[in-house]
Amino acid sequence: MTFIKARRKPIEVWAVRYNHSIVLDEFIKMLSENKNEPVRYDDETGTIYIQKERGDIALKRGNWVIYEVNTDQCYWAIDHDIFLKTYVKVGGHIYKKKSYEIEGMIFSKLEPKSILKVLQFMGYHTTNALEDLQRYELIEDVLKRGSILVQTLEGIEHLYPGEIVIRGIENELYPVKMENFNKIYDLINDVEISA
């Protein structure tokens, strides 16, 4: 349960905005190339869901999809406004991530003290006895499930022990595997972390 400050590395990604000019069948076919991450389309809302091991992410029309060659080589959805604030176009569909600072918390162990520190980092605070009881129930749920549920902009994802929850530029939260964190962030505070 270590607090970290880091700077995003300026890595390049392939990106495209999911809008009405996309040829939907071809777009879904492209997103479906990774057989480990099934894709489904909701006709009613126009949302595309990509099934990740930590939870489904929603690609809503108007948002962006990126493919990071340097990390997990998977597709990820990004909110349109956050994309515009954090990426700059290099050419074609290639964008470079701007360098900016983030804060995060390492979920070190599946034990109550570590769970509570991560929940507090994520904004969970109690103010009375009833909320204290609910906090204990929440900790018990995390212990049974083996992960903390993180409400991201793209859906609910799991944060597992040994991973980091990041607070982004708009106070959005998202979990990151340690090996990916080490590829895309440089630590700026003096802490020791390992994959």
Side-chain angles (χ1 to χ4, degrees), residues 106-111 114-115 142 145-148 158-164 178:
I106 299 172
F107 180 22
S108 56
K109 297 178 185 170
L110 189 61
E111 52 92 19
S114 183
I115 294 167
V142 169
R145 186 176 40 255
S147 66
I148 296 173
H158 293 263
L159 173 71
Y160 296 99
E163 297 181 342
I164 299 173
M178 189 65 72

Side-chain angles (χ1 to χ4, degrees), residues 102-145:
I102 55 90
E103 294 180 340
M105 180 68 68
I106 299 172
F107 180 22
S108 56
K109 297 178 185 170
L110 189 61
E111 52 92 19
K113 185 177 176 184
S114 183
I115 294 167
L116 186 57
K117 287 286 188 190
V118 172
L119 291 174
Q120 288 170 337
F121 173 80
M122 292 171 47
Y124 181 86
H125 301 284
T126 61
T127 57
N128 61 47
L130 180 58
E131 289 175 348
D132 281 343
L133 288 173
Q134 291 170 336
R135 178 182 65 188
Y136 293 120
E137 290 175 8
L138 180 57
I139 290 171
E140 286 298 315
D141 287 344
V142 169
L143 289 169
K144 286 178 191 170
R145 186 176 40 255

Side-chain angles (χ1 to χ4, degrees), residues 78-90:
I78 298 183
D79 174 83
H80 175 67
D81 292 332
I82 290 174
F83 184 85
L84 294 179
K85 289 178 183 177
T86 58
Y87 285 88
V88 62
K89 190 169 188 167
V90 174

Side-chain angles (χ1 to χ4, degrees), residues 8 29 38 47 49 62 69 82 87 95 109 140 180 183:
R8 179 75 183 212
K29 182 178 175 183
T47 301
Y49 294 92
V69 176
I82 290 174
Y87 285 88
Y95 291 78
K109 297 178 185 170
E140 286 298 315
N180 287 338
K183 292 175 185 176

Side-chain angles (χ1 to χ4, degrees), residues 6-184:
R7 184 173 293 111
R8 179 75 183 212
K9 294 177 184 177
I11 62 173
E12 289 185 355
V13 300
W14 176 91
V16 66
R17 189 165 184 205
Y18 171 42
N19 57 27
H20 291 288
S21 67
I22 291 287
V23 178
L24 187 60
D25 291 340
E26 292 299 315
F27 190 58
I28 290 173
K29 182 178 175 183
M30 177 195 70
L31 294 174
S32 300
E33 289 173 357
N34 183 347
K35 301 299 180 205
N36 295 324
E37 296 186 345
V39 174
R40 65 183 166 80
Y41 176 73
D42 184 328
D43 287 324
E44 215 170 283
T45 64
T47 301
I48 297 172
Y49 294 92
I50 304 170
Q51 184 180 328
K52 302 282 186 179
E53 82 180 50
R54 62 174 76 244
D56 286 359
I57 62 167
L59 174 59
K60 296 176 185 167
R61 194 168 273 133
N63 286 343
W64 290 77
V65 65
I66 66 164
Y67 180 80
E68 288 186 346
V69 176
N70 297 328
T71 59
D72 55 12
Q73 300 171 351
C74 296
Y75 293 103
W76 292 95
I78 298 183
D79 174 83
H80 175 67
D81 292 332
I82 290 174
F83 184 85
L84 294 179
K85 289 178 183 177
T86 58
Y87 285 88
V88 62
K89 190 169 188 167
V90 174
H93 288 287
I94 304 300
Y95 291 78
K96 185 178 276 190
K97 189 81 166 182
K98 295 177 185 177
S99 183
Y100 58 88
E101 292 183 12
I102 55 90
E103 294 180 340
M105 180 68 68
I106 299 172
F107 180 22
S108 56
K109 297 178 185 170
L110 189 61
E111 52 92 19
K113 185 177 176 184
S114 183
I115 294 167
L116 186 57
K117 287 286 188 190
V118 172
L119 291 174
Q120 288 170 337
F121 173 80
M122 292 171 47
Y124 181 86
H125 301 284
T126 61
T127 57
N128 61 47
L130 180 58
E131 289 175 348
D132 281 343
L133 288 173
Q134 291 170 336
R135 178 182 65 188
Y136 293 120
E137 290 175 8
L138 180 57
I139 290 171
E140 286 298 315
D141 287 344
V142 169
L143 289 169
K144 286 178 191 170
R145 186 176 40 255
S147 66
I148 296 173
L149 298 179
V150 179
Q151 179 64 54
T152 73
L153 295 176
E154 294 77 31
I156 295 174
E157 295 185 41
H158 293 263
L159 173 71
Y160 296 99
E163 297 181 342
I164 299 173
V165 62
I166 302 290
R167 183 180 299 122
I169 63 165
E170 294 290 325
N171 288 319
E172 75 278 12
L173 297 169
Y174 52 96
V176 177
K177 291 180 179 182
M178 189 65 72
E179 59 268 21
N180 287 338
F181 178 86
N182 290 329
K183 292 175 185 176
I184 58 179

